[in-house]
Amino acid sequence: MKKLISVIHHNNLFIKMFLVMVISIISVSLLITFSTIRMSNNLFMETFSITNTKVLNQIKQQFESFSYSVVVTSMEVENNATIKRMLTEEYVSSVDASTSFYSIKEQMEKLYADRPNEANMIILGENERLFNMKYMNWSVTGDDLINHRITKNAEEHPNQILYQFVSGGEITNGSPMVVATKALTERSSNNIYGYLYIPIRELDLRGFYDDYTSQGNSVMLVNGSGKIISSDDESYIGQDSPELLALAKETEEQRLEYQEANVFGKDQLLLTSALPALDLYIVNLVDQELVINNLVNTKEIALISTVIVLLALVVVFIISRRVTNSISRLVKQISNMAKYDFSKPVEESGGYEARKIAHAFNYMLNELQEHVDVLMKAQRKQRKSELEALQHQINPHFLYNTLTSVKLLVKDGKKEAAFETIDALIPLLQNALGNVDETITVEQEAANIQNYVLINQTRYGDRIKVNSLISPDCLHYHLPKLVIQPFIENAFFHAFTEKKKGFIQILIAQRNDKLVCEVIDTGDGMRLDKIESKGKRQLFSGIGVRNVHERIQLLFGEDYGVEISSELKKGTKVKIILPLLDENAKYITKSKNSTKERLSEGGNF
Amino acid sequence: MEDFRFKKSWLSALVLLTFLVLAACSSDEEGGASEEGEAAEDPDTITAWAWDPNFNIAALETAKESYDGDVELDVIENAQDDIVSKLNTGLSSGTMKGMPNIVLIEDQRAQSFLQSYPEAFFPIDDYINPEDFASYKLAPTSLDDKQYGLPFDTGVTGLFFRTDYLEEAGYTMEDLTDITWEEYIEIGQDVKETTGKDMISLDPNDLGLIRVMIQSAGAWYVDEEGTNVNIEGNEPLRKAFENYKAMMEADFVKANSDWSQFIASFNSGDVATVPSGNWIGASIEAEESQAGDWAVAPIPRLDMEGAVNASNQGGSSFYVLNVPGKEKAAEFLGQTFGENEEFYQDLVNDVGAIGTYTPASDGEAYQTENEFFGGQSLISDFSTWVEDIPSVNYGMHTYSIEDILAAEMQNYLKGKSLDDAFADAQAQAEAQLK
């Protein structure tokens, strides 16, 4: 859990960026996909309704020309005197019958020849005399026909041409048909002398519009009572569908170009055209779902946009990962730097931006380092000159005291001792006046210490004995001047206030590639916080115990310096740690320029 | 710069990938549509056109069952008129595309096709022996000594009559056997007088009975060449017209105007006789209440030299069209209709079709007694008569000439002299057919 949180924390930037990208890419592509589909649907519906309106008009024209030819035929039949005579005449002989049958057929043949379509023509006269132009289409008998409802209807409306639907099976050999009926009436007496039937099989009626239909784009004819009398989908033929009629009427009355409606359980586009003469509505139903699915491949569009989204996501993932990764790495490096090492430059890698930032950061670091170096150099210089001044400042009291001692020795006639003392003072002074950076060999230092000890013993007597133990392999090493002397001085003047006698041991040896000098006294010991000397008068130079440590660190770095340990009543132990310096390394001091050198290897702009 | 190149390659890789995916998406659409358009040289399926599901289509299905060859037969039902018009449009345009391998054509129309499009038909002499078939079938189905049609059913005629009505008028089977049309008319008058029933039902627009009459005397509307109109001076035709008018004047003719009225005329018991092709038997048997009341006598003959008591009405034959698969089609026909006697027995039993393959008439099925017709061995009788049918050349224009003759018949009935009527018809027919 913690791990997860830390992962999230570390990838915070990436997660944020990536989430924003993902959400925007997905929403953009979704919006585009949907609007594309919607737009193409709308466009399609527009054009579809336009073309289908035209198609409906063409179908309508076909029906109108059909109904016109029915009207013309019925008028011609009614006006045909031969037909009328033959239908009404009583036959007395076979010859008469034969003649009249022949003439009626002949007349009908003439009228029928004009008929442009598949319609049949039947004339029924009294005595069930039936003349059928195409008995193959409808082999009906006069007996059946005279009692059929379509004849009764025609009888009730003798002046009207009625279009009546006869469903398959009744008397039509299983093929549904629409029959135009007209009672043939005598003008003067309104007496009905026969019936004209112009049946057209639903199959042939379908030919009027069948070419315009396709799957999902169907046409049906609905008559005034809501019965579907013809359809390219045969299962609808003969069904009663008042809803469809109502929709058709509504569309027609409101002069809508089309109407969207749920018909037969499907969302359909409904176009209609009325045929008032036939009391029919031509209804065109377009199954939206089916047709649109055929036209607009929604699946494909969705697939394409999904693929694009996925690709974009992969690309976004990789790119943002690259960007954020390098930035996170940078951040990590920088935050670690505060903990560990300021001088280490950050790695310049990753994207362009990250590299620029790293570069700028490194540049800044470099500058800062340089600045710090300059500052430190100045500081060191200042300190050095301070120390130098202190070193050069040979305590007049020391000289005064020493010279007083010499004077007393001379006065006492201790010529030898006086000579020795002066002899010791001379190199001591010589040494003190040199450069603060200058080193001397351990041998020389030992001599100096001896001289100093001699002078002090001359003055204060030899109750404090000084032994020096110097490892011979160290004699040729160099060390800075006035490093050991202040501690001996300190031991002389402060370690033996209670104890009046004691020893001061000086040990110089090489240990772990370092030069270790130890000054051990057997004096009173002290509290470490009270090292500072009080009686300035006794000091040889301005260099005190305290600034020895400072000076060593200034010269050689933090690995070196002075360690003091003390125990009350038992004595004090001073350990001076110095590098092993050869003569040719006289002036080497630890430099911090190295950082700067390393930095300048990097960028070059 | 280096990074820029890197990014660019990324971009192009992305674009490439996108295109690949898109291409993969859209490529499903194609394919699958390129399967047609390969009309094999020798298809495994042969198609046949016929028009009557209860008769000739059923016969083809029976043939398919009895055939051992590895051929798939696809029988397509088309109205006869449609077959005629499809053949005419197809063959006249010279393209055989969409044409069947086998087509059934009525004998009286066959010559018009054979003569107009001889190249379109495939001679089947190598697959059948024409002498095995009734001789009258060969003339209409062959051209220039090549046999094109495989004779299928016979239209051999008989005089179907109501035994009860005729008995009432005092006539027996014997009195109706081998009579002339004049005798028939006399009998008809007696029947009308005693029973009040009409003797015959006729459609004034259809001179089928005239054709039956003249073929019994070996004559037709055209001469033996099949090309010249033969009306004027055609003695059998003259006799036939006279007989027709005599029937009308005897007043025992019930007029009908279409097929269903014709069927109704005898199913309702209104007429006593039906002189017709044997195929009408099925329609007569359809009225089960009249079982046992019917019998069949030989068709009456014209009262003249050379006339026989046998004629033909209708009948059709199979033709093989000159399209890929013709050999298979011819083989199929040859091995079924052309030589399989067994198959002809099935044809009689299952379909009721009487073939014109003479060796088959000795088969058992042909001897069956028909209970509806009072135990008469109907098929045996018909196949006997088949052999007597005079052969005539129907020529190409039977129906056009008949239309003219039907009109002249009306004039003749109304009193025009037969000489004038024939002269006018001859002139009109010659003018029309030239």
Side-chain angles (χ1 to χ4, degrees):
Chain A
M1 190 61 202
K2 258 189 181 169
K3 209 172 169 187
L4 187 74
I5 290 171
S6 90
V7 166
I8 290 174
H9 186 75
H10 272 111
N11 293 306
N12 204 0
L13 180 66
F14 168 72
I15 289 169
K16 275 188 223 155
M17 241 173 91
F18 189 62
L19 269 184
V20 169
M21 290 295 219
V22 167
I23 290 167
S24 32
I25 288 173
I26 289 177
S27 49
V28 163
S29 50
L30 276 182
L31 281 176
I32 290 177
T33 307
F34 282 124
S35 71
T36 308
I37 292 173
R38 209 175 54 87
M39 267 164 61
S40 49
N41 283 2
N42 284 351
L43 188 73
F44 168 71
M45 283 301 168
E46 282 291 303
T47 47
F48 208 89
S49 72
I50 291 169
T51 51
N52 273 31
T53 309
K54 285 186 182 159
V55 163
L56 273 190
N57 280 337
Q58 285 189 14
I59 297 174
K60 189 179 175 178
Q61 276 176 17
Q62 293 217 37
F63 276 102
E64 275 169 352
S65 77
F66 169 69
S67 81
Y68 177 72
S69 72
V70 168
V71 171
V72 170
T73 310
S74 71
M75 278 164 65
E76 281 173 350
V77 169
E78 213 162 2
N79 291 339
N80 191 304
T82 314
I83 291 176
K84 184 179 162 192
R85 198 178 65 241
M86 294 304 167
L87 283 180
T88 45
E89 210 171 54
E90 282 291 327
Y91 307 148
V92 279
S93 70
S94 293
V95 180
D96 292 343
S98 170
T99 311
S100 69
F101 271 46
Y102 184 82
S103 346
I104 285 182
K105 264 283 167 87
E106 199 182 21
Q107 294 297 321
M108 283 171 75
E109 205 89 53
K110 274 183 200 158
L111 296 173
Y112 188 74
D114 308 335
R115 306 215 45 74
N117 38 47
E118 293 294 320
N120 188 3
M121 179 166 153
I122 297 174
I123 290 177
L124 177 66
E126 284 166 23
N127 305 323
E128 287 159 34
R129 282 177 215 163
L130 179 106
F131 303 94
N132 192 339
M133 290 309 292
K134 260 192 172 182
Y135 77 87
M136 288 281 282
N137 277 8
W138 193 16
S139 49
V140 68
T141 64
D143 204 20
D144 287 335
L145 206 51
I146 194 80
N147 293 317
H148 197 268
R149 71 177 157 81
I150 58 172
T151 310
K152 303 265 184 257
N153 285 344
E155 196 179 354
E156 276 170 38
H157 307 276
N159 296 317
Q160 257 177 291
I161 297 174
L162 299 175
Y163 289 85
Q164 306 188 62
F165 178 67
V166 182
S167 62
E170 274 184 66
I171 52 169
T172 58
N173 261 340
S175 115
M177 50 181 78
V178 175
V179 188
T181 53
K182 172 82 173 76
L184 303 172
T185 53
E186 214 165 324
R187 277 244 177 96
S188 49
S189 61
N190 275 340
N191 183 27
I192 298 174
Y193 64 85
Y195 299 96
L196 169 71
Y197 303 86
I198 300 184
I200 179 162
R201 288 185 299 176
E202 194 276 330
L203 198 71
D204 299 319
L205 205 59
R206 232 184 286 165
F208 286 15
Y209 58 80
D210 216 15
D211 291 344
Y212 301 112
T213 62
S214 56
Q215 206 195 356
N217 178 15
S218 56
V219 172
M220 40 191 73
L221 296 178
V222 184
N223 73 6
S225 58
K227 195 184 264 299
I228 298 169
I229 61 167
S230 174
S231 165
D232 58 319
D233 184 344
E234 286 177 43
S235 59
Y236 292 133
I237 298 169
Q239 277 189 23
D240 281 308
S241 178
E243 318 90 57
L244 199 62
L245 180 69
L247 282 167
K249 271 186 178 159
E250 191 185 317
T251 315
E252 190 64 26
E253 276 162 17
Q254 299 178 7
R255 296 180 176 281
L256 297 173
E257 255 182 49
Y258 63 89
Q259 177 164 208
E260 286 175 28
N262 190 295
V263 193
F264 303 123
K266 288 178 197 155
D267 281 329
Q268 315 240 36
L269 212 62
L270 183 141
L271 292 91
T272 188
S273 184
L275 293 166
L278 278 72
D279 191 20
L280 283 180
Y281 286 93
I282 310 170
V283 179
N284 178 209
L285 289 176
V286 181
D287 184 342
Q288 294 195 32
E289 203 182 333
L290 199 75
V291 170
I292 283 171
N293 276 355
N294 279 347
L295 197 86
V296 184
N297 194 337
T298 318
K299 237 185 209 168
E300 190 179 314
I301 293 178
L303 189 67
I304 290 173
S305 46
T306 313
V307 167
I308 291 174
V309 165
L310 286 180
L311 283 176
L313 287 185
V314 168
V315 170
V316 162
F317 181 88
I318 291 168
I319 289 177
S320 57
R321 189 86 203 160
R322 271 166 58 80
V323 170
T324 57
N325 253 7
S326 50
I327 287 177
S328 316
R329 198 162 55 231
L330 207 62
V331 167
K332 207 166 164 187
Q333 279 180 7
I334 290 171
S335 58
N336 279 350
M337 185 172 288
K339 281 190 214 157
Y340 308 112
D341 189 359
F342 251 119
S343 60
K344 202 176 151 202
V346 297
E347 198 184 325
E348 285 180 39
S349 64
Y352 174 77
E353 297 81 5
R355 276 182 293 118
K356 270 284 191 219
I357 292 170
H359 189 87
F361 183 79
N362 281 345
Y363 184 76
M364 189 195 75
L365 206 64
N366 211 346
E367 289 287 298
L368 200 67
Q369 198 72 53
E370 225 167 287
H371 186 70
V372 168
D373 280 349
V374 169
L375 207 66
M376 278 174 72
K377 224 187 226 164
Q379 255 181 3
R380 211 179 301 137
K381 226 179 207 165
Q382 193 189 350
R383 190 68 192 142
K384 206 162 102 185
S385 46
E386 265 174 33
L387 289 170
E388 213 161 316
L390 285 173
Q391 185 186 334
H392 289 175
Q393 195 183 351
I394 302 213
N395 199 332
H397 290 283
F398 180 81
L399 275 179
Y400 165 78
N401 287 341
T402 311
L403 286 174
T404 308
S405 305
V406 171
K407 185 188 98 182
L408 287 173
L409 287 174
V410 171
K411 201 176 178 180
D412 291 346
K414 290 177 188 169
K415 238 167 89 189
E416 202 63 24
F419 178 76
E420 265 174 41
T421 311
I422 288 173
D423 213 19
L425 184 63
I426 290 165
L428 208 58
L429 286 175
Q430 197 180 15
N431 194 24
L433 289 173
N435 196 325
V436 82
D437 275 352
E438 271 173 32
T439 56
I440 49 170
T441 61
V442 172
E443 203 173 2
Q444 278 175 308
E445 182 68 0
N448 282 342
I449 288 167
Q450 226 169 341
N451 290 335
Y452 177 73
V453 169
L454 185 79
I455 290 168
N456 271 359
Q457 283 177 341
T458 312
R459 280 172 56 194
Y460 304 111
D462 53 359
R463 62 189 175 99
I464 301 167
K465 297 257 174 15
V466 177
N467 298 322
S468 57
L469 212 80
I470 295 166
S471 168
D473 62 337
C474 296
L475 289 175
H476 67 282
Y477 287 121
H478 285 245
L479 77 172
K481 286 186 278 188
L482 295 173
V483 167
I484 301 171
Q485 182 272 335
F487 294 100
I488 296 166
E489 190 172 57
N490 189 53
F492 261 105
F493 293 106
H494 303 294
F496 299 96
T497 43
E498 280 165 32
K499 290 182 184 175
K500 293 303 174 197
K501 277 182 163 178
F503 294 93
I504 296 172
Q505 296 270 32
I506 297 165
L507 303 165
I508 297 177
Q510 181 186 344
R511 214 178 290 156
N512 297 335
D513 286 338
K514 283 170 185 166
L515 190 68
V516 178
C517 312
E518 283 180 328
V519 178
I520 302 161
D521 66 62
T522 57
D524 303 339
M526 59 180 179
R527 284 165 60 190
L528 288 175
D529 51 337
K530 283 190 172 177
I531 294 176
E532 196 50 60
S533 53
K534 283 172 195 167
K536 273 196 173 166
R537 263 184 279 177
Q538 278 83 10
L539 294 179
F540 168 64
S541 74
I543 307 262
V545 177
R546 165 146 294 198
N547 55 33
V548 170
H549 179 71
E550 221 175 290
R551 198 151 56 98
I552 292 171
Q553 289 214 324
L554 203 61
L555 288 172
F556 306 115
E558 286 176 0
D559 288 347
Y560 308 98
V562 178
E563 286 169 26
I564 298 171
S565 55
S566 181
E567 216 173 319
L568 283 173
K569 311 284 184 203
K570 282 202 174 157
T572 304
K573 184 182 172 188
V574 177
K575 194 179 184 181
I576 302 158
I577 303 163
L578 291 166
L580 294 174
L581 298 172
D582 289 325
E583 189 172 9
N584 51 8
K586 244 187 203 173
Y587 293 101
I588 287 179
T589 51
K590 182 178 167 33
S591 165
K592 298 218 171 183
N593 286 359
S594 52
T595 314
K596 186 184 171 186
E597 276 157 25
R598 236 186 302 161
L599 285 177
S600 53
E601 281 165 18
N604 50 358
F605 58 93
Chain B
M1 190 59 201
E2 221 170 89
D3 293 78
F4 186 57
R5 217 181 297 135
F6 176 70
K7 264 180 198 159
K8 233 173 147 183
S9 68
W10 246 108
L11 209 72
S12 52
L14 177 73
V15 169
L16 195 77
L17 197 67
T18 314
F19 274 119
L20 277 177
V21 171
L22 292 188
C25 287
S26 54
S27 64
D28 315 341
E29 308 276 303
E30 288 138 41
S34 59
E35 294 205 9
E36 40 195 83
E38 286 168 49
E41 276 297 290
D42 212 13
D44 289 332
T45 304
I46 54 174
T47 50
W49 286 358
W51 58 80
D52 190 344
N54 295 319
F55 190 64
N56 41 46
I57 289 178
L60 278 170
E61 297 291 346
T62 310
K64 191 161 87 178
E65 276 168 36
S66 73
Y67 183 56
D68 303 329
D70 58 341
V71 128
E72 201 56 43
L73 180 72
D74 191 8
V75 186
I76 297 166
E77 181 189 343
N78 273 309
Q80 197 190 163
D81 289 348
D82 287 347
I83 292 183
V84 170
S85 71
K86 277 182 184 175
L87 276 181
N88 270 322
T89 43
L91 302 186
S92 63
S93 71
T95 167
M96 300 298 277
K97 208 178 168 191
M99 290 288 127
N101 299 92
I102 297 172
V103 64
L104 186 70
I105 302 177
E106 218 186 358
D107 291 340
Q108 286 163 14
R109 294 181 200 274
Q111 283 298 315
S112 72
F113 284 110
L114 290 177
Q115 289 179 28
S116 307
Y117 320 108
E119 292 301 306
F121 292 92
F122 180 63
I124 54 168
D125 303 85
D126 297 342
Y127 299 89
I128 59 162
N129 180 8
E131 281 160 25
D132 288 343
F133 294 89
S135 58
Y136 85 97
K137 279 290 244 188
L138 299 180
T141 58
S142 62
L143 179 71
D144 297 338
D145 291 334
K146 278 187 205 153
Q147 185 64 31
Y148 286 96
L150 196 156
F152 167 50
D153 65 319
T154 175
V156 62
T157 50
L159 178 63
F160 293 80
F161 65 94
R162 284 288 292 261
T163 48
D164 48 347
Y165 292 171
L166 280 150
E167 218 167 288
E168 205 182 326
Y171 292 97
T172 62
M173 178 73 173
E174 213 144 293
D175 299 323
L176 287 164
T177 306
D178 294 338
I179 54 171
T180 63
W181 284 105
E182 283 77 5
E183 287 166 324
Y184 172 83
I185 293 166
E186 278 169 29
I187 296 167
Q189 281 168 327
D190 283 352
V191 170
K192 177 95 183 183
E193 265 169 39
T194 46
T195 65
K197 302 286 180 189
D198 285 327
M199 186 66 166
I200 187 171
S201 175
L202 288 173
D203 181 349
N205 290 280
D206 180 2
L207 297 188
L209 190 63
I210 298 288
R211 295 201 299 272
V212 170
M213 289 179 186
I214 59 177
Q215 188 168 358
S216 75
W220 201 247
Y221 300 149
V222 289
D223 64 8
E224 282 159 25
E225 303 293 312
T227 44
N228 300 313
V229 180
N230 182 21
I231 296 173
E232 241 183 336
N234 186 337
E235 201 50 36
L237 187 61
R238 168 179 283 272
K239 273 251 187 281
F241 264 59
E242 283 167 0
N243 285 332
Y244 194 94
K245 188 174 184 180
M247 282 183 210
M248 288 293 176
E249 283 168 348
D251 208 15
F252 58 60
V253 178
K254 184 176 169 65
N256 72 63
S257 71
D258 64 36
W259 181 256
S260 54
Q261 290 176 22
F262 172 57
I263 304 287
S265 68
F266 52 80
N267 279 349
S268 63
D270 284 350
V271 295
T273 69
V274 184
S276 175
N278 63 81
W279 31 260
I280 202 72
S283 301
I284 291 173
E285 285 183 54
E287 186 58 54
E288 283 167 18
S289 64
Q290 296 170 7
D293 289 344
W294 287 88
V296 187
I299 197 85
R301 65 173 191 278
L302 289 177
D303 184 17
M304 62 189 298
E305 191 77 15
V308 293
N309 284 93
S311 188
N312 180 63
Q313 188 176 26
S316 51
S317 304
F318 292 110
Y319 294 82
V320 175
L321 287 175
N322 199 0
V323 296
K326 55 185 181 254
E327 291 87 0
K328 282 192 175 180
E331 215 167 279
F332 168 76
L333 290 176
Q335 288 179 22
T336 50
F337 292 97
E339 63 176 40
N340 191 339
E341 286 175 38
E342 287 285 294
F343 160 68
Y344 273 101
Q345 309 306 313
D346 293 343
L347 209 56
V348 166
N349 285 332
D350 301 345
V351 186
I354 304 170
T356 48
Y357 182 66
T358 40
S361 56
D362 301 332
E364 230 172 80
Y366 279 66
Q367 312 307 326
T368 319
E369 295 179 355
N370 191 320
E371 289 310 317
F372 190 92
F373 290 96
Q376 195 176 351
S377 298
L378 210 55
I379 294 163
S380 174
D381 288 349
F382 277 127
S383 50
T384 318
W385 302 333
V386 164
E387 289 162 26
D388 299 333
I389 299 171
S391 177
V392 294
N393 189 340
Y394 295 131
M396 294 171 65
H397 308 294
T398 300
Y399 292 108
S400 327
I401 297 171
E402 187 166 306
D403 281 347
I404 296 164
L405 281 175
E408 286 306 326
M409 174 64 86
Q410 292 303 317
N411 294 334
Y412 172 53
L413 290 179
K414 283 177 193 157
K416 190 173 177 179
S417 84
L418 200 50
D419 288 331
D420 290 349
F422 275 11
D424 289 352
Q426 175 84 20
Q428 204 185 334
E430 278 174 357
Q432 196 174 318
L433 302 178
K434 237 155 215 176

